[in-house]
Amino acid sequence: MNFEASEKTKELQNRLQVFMDSHVYANEEKFQTEIALARWKPTRIIEELKAKARHEGLWNLFLPHDENGAGLTNLEYAPLCEIMGRSHIAPEIFNCSAPDTGNMEVLARYGTAEQREKWLKPLLAGELRSCFAMTEPDVASSDASNIRASIVADGDSYVIKGCKWWSSGAGDPRCKVAILMGKTDPSAAAHKQQSMILVPLDTPGVKIVRMLTVFGYDHAPHGHAEIQFEDVRVPKTNMLLGEGRGFEIAQGRLGPGRIHHCMRCIGVAERALESMCGRVQSRVAFGKALAEQGTIRADIAMSRMEIEQARLLTLKAADMMDKVGNKAARSEIAMIKVVAPNVALRVLDRAIQTHGGAGVSQDTFLASAWAGVRSLRLADGPDEVHIESIAKWELGKSNHRCGPGVSH
């Protein structure tokens, strides 16, 4: 495996790093100040930086092999996504933030010409935002076959009924459309019952019940919503790909989305380690710098080793996605989806510990970053689901090698 960055990637890395250093980190506090004044209103600073990023060609970097993106492979995009992951405001500035990235990929891959014109085009331009309505409060949504929301054909329309939550982004007034997963045929085979459909959020019957918090953080103006769909009627032309193909779309959507989360986690962990190193070299306790304490040095060393391992596995998964496709790379995608958030959480926890009271306050990025990364152990499939899949594939390989009845 050769993970040497291409010249194109190196050039984009340099430009992205300069932009981050010049415009992003310096405006994180300004973003928070604007949000404090009007929590559920888009901020001026983000809109200004979006225009600047687009002007500089740092825009839609995530979309692989597509004329609307930078034409990067997953492996080429990985180090860029890592850089963006270092700041919670960065992905949106470059129009590379979830769930819009996944929704844009769905529309680009599965949408009709009409759907792409109406929704993909303004999403690519950063003119509006979207959400993904899949998880439900009353069932274990880690098993998507449990989903109860109904999509019933009625003449030239579909009528949608159900309740969704953790529809991230729905709190933003710029969020205009949801991709909703529901059941069109409960009598079909288990993985042919579900479909995905486009639901404009201004459709009668769509009601945002409440905004949810993540360990007390509301992530305004993006947010995470519980949405009630009560006899919501949309045209049949809003169906994506066709009835019964929801699982097919979900697998195509979640592969890239999962690895993007992992790439960003590596960036968060790197920033946390840098913060830890800076802190321990500037603080003295019990007569010597914290950096001279053995337990602190062990934490720093362990963090570096874990980050390097997680990055290599992420790059391997990205490389396999490019070379053999998401399905063949499913084991590596599952592994990194477990590994990367857990590594980032451990590094963040060590950094919080070295910062003392400041580490759990709003004075550093660490506490909010920990809350965000912790949610990733549930998002896009909880750890347990991925671990079970990895074990099943590994046992299958073992049986194939050994043959029936053969023990080691």
Side-chain angles (χ1 to χ4, degrees):
M1 293 176 286
N2 180 13
F3 298 147
E4 177 68 22
S6 67
E7 289 304 314
K8 183 177 183 179
T9 301
K10 289 178 182 177
E11 190 263 340
L12 284 168
Q13 276 182 286
N14 291 334
R15 288 169 51 202
L16 191 61
Q17 192 63 66
V18 168
F19 194 102
M20 293 283 291
D21 292 340
S22 301
H23 305 296
V24 177
Y25 302 125
N27 282 301
E28 288 176 336
E29 190 172 333
K30 187 172 184 179
F31 169 82
Q32 295 296 345
T33 300
E34 287 191 47
I35 288 296
L37 294 173
R39 297 206 67 73
W40 301 102
K41 179 181 177 182
T43 62
R44 179 180 298 179
I45 186 60
I46 295 296
E47 294 306 312
E48 290 174 354
L49 293 178
K50 281 167 62 177
K52 188 181 292 290
R54 190 173 187 183
H55 177 73
E56 294 189 16
L58 298 171
W59 192 254
N60 291 336
L61 301 171
F62 71 95
L63 210 53
H65 308 300
D66 192 281
E67 61 184 9
N68 296 301
L72 302 173
T73 65
N74 287 293
L75 183 61
E76 288 175 320
Y77 179 59
L80 307 180
C81 194
E82 177 181 327
I83 293 170
M84 288 185 276
R86 292 170 59 91
S87 173
H88 68 287
I89 67 172
E92 183 184 356
I93 290 168
F94 304 105
N95 212 38
C96 293
S97 56
D100 295 324
T101 49
N103 290 344
M104 284 188 267
E105 286 173 340
V106 165
L107 287 164
R109 187 179 300 180
Y110 306 113
T112 64
E114 178 187 355
Q115 291 167 349
R116 291 196 298 269
E117 178 66 25
K118 186 172 183 178
W119 299 116
L120 178 59
K121 192 172 179 179
L123 280 168
L124 287 166
E127 296 168 356
L128 56 82
R129 300 209 62 183
S130 62
C131 66
F132 188 62
M134 180 175 177
T135 306
E136 297 180 2
D138 296 329
V139 298
S141 301
S142 56
D143 177 359
S145 66
N146 285 333
I147 284 171
R148 295 177 181 172
S150 63
I151 305 172
V152 178
D154 182 22
D156 60 358
S157 302
Y158 285 107
V159 178
I160 302 162
K161 184 179 290 188
C163 185
K164 300 289 186 177
W165 71 345
W166 296 110
S167 298
S168 298
D172 193 320
R174 296 167 298 176
C175 185
K176 302 300 183 184
V177 66
I179 294 180
L180 178 141
M181 186 167 180
K183 286 190 176 180
T184 44
D185 185 0
S187 65
H191 289 81
K192 296 293 183 181
Q193 298 178 8
Q194 294 77 14
S195 303
M196 287 197 190
I197 194 165
L198 292 159
V199 183
L201 292 189
D202 61 359
T203 307
V206 177
K207 179 186 177 183
I208 294 182
V209 177
R210 59 175 176 153
M211 300 307 297
L212 304 165
T213 61
V214 180
F215 293 103
Y217 294 95
D218 62 11
H219 294 162
H222 187 63
H224 315 277
E226 180 177 338
I227 309 177
Q228 187 71 41
F229 297 85
E230 189 62 45
D231 294 324
V232 175
R233 185 177 292 269
V234 299
K236 280 193 170 179
T237 53
N238 282 24
M239 179 63 67
L240 285 162
L241 198 58
E243 288 189 19
R245 304 187 72 176
F247 267 93
E248 181 182 344
I249 298 171
Q251 290 308 306
R253 183 187 189 279
L254 289 174
R258 284 168 176 155
I259 202 158
H260 293 174
H261 282 317
C262 296
M263 295 166 182
R264 286 190 288 266
C265 280
I266 305 302
V268 171
E270 280 286 5
R271 188 175 180 185
L273 179 54
E274 290 172 12
S275 179
M276 189 191 329
C277 290
R279 179 75 171 189
V280 300
Q281 291 180 84
S282 65
R283 292 282 170 139
V284 174
F286 306 107
K288 59 181 179 181
L290 291 180
E292 297 176 23
Q293 307 283 354
T295 54
I296 297 291
R297 296 170 77 88
D299 282 348
I300 290 170
M302 188 60 67
S303 297
R304 170 50 61 204
M305 289 186 283
E306 290 178 344
I307 290 171
E308 294 301 321
Q309 292 174 75
R311 180 184 289 112
L312 285 171
L313 184 54
T314 305
L315 293 173
K316 180 189 177 185
D319 190 46
M320 288 188 67
M321 289 168 68
D322 293 330
K323 291 178 178 176
V324 296
N326 297 355
K327 185 174 182 180
R330 63 191 185 277
S331 181
E332 283 71 19
I333 294 171
M335 284 190 277
I336 195 55
K337 180 57 177 63
V338 175
V339 169
N342 279 283
V343 165
L345 284 173
R346 288 195 293 271
V347 177
L348 281 164
D349 188 69
R350 294 166 190 146
I352 288 169
Q353 198 70 10
T354 61
H355 281 74
V360 295
S361 77
Q362 70 271 40
D363 288 353
T364 72
F365 81 101
L366 297 168
S368 61
W370 189 94
V373 174
R374 181 59 184 85
S375 69
L376 291 181
R377 291 189 55 208
L378 297 167
D380 290 351
D383 286 5
E384 292 80 1
V385 170
H386 295 299
I387 289 169
E388 176 67 18
S389 296
I390 295 162
K392 182 172 66 176
W393 294 324
E394 198 63 26
L395 288 167
K397 288 192 297 183
S398 177
N399 288 338
H400 179 73
R401 286 193 300 265
C402 299
V406 178
S407 60
H408 291 287

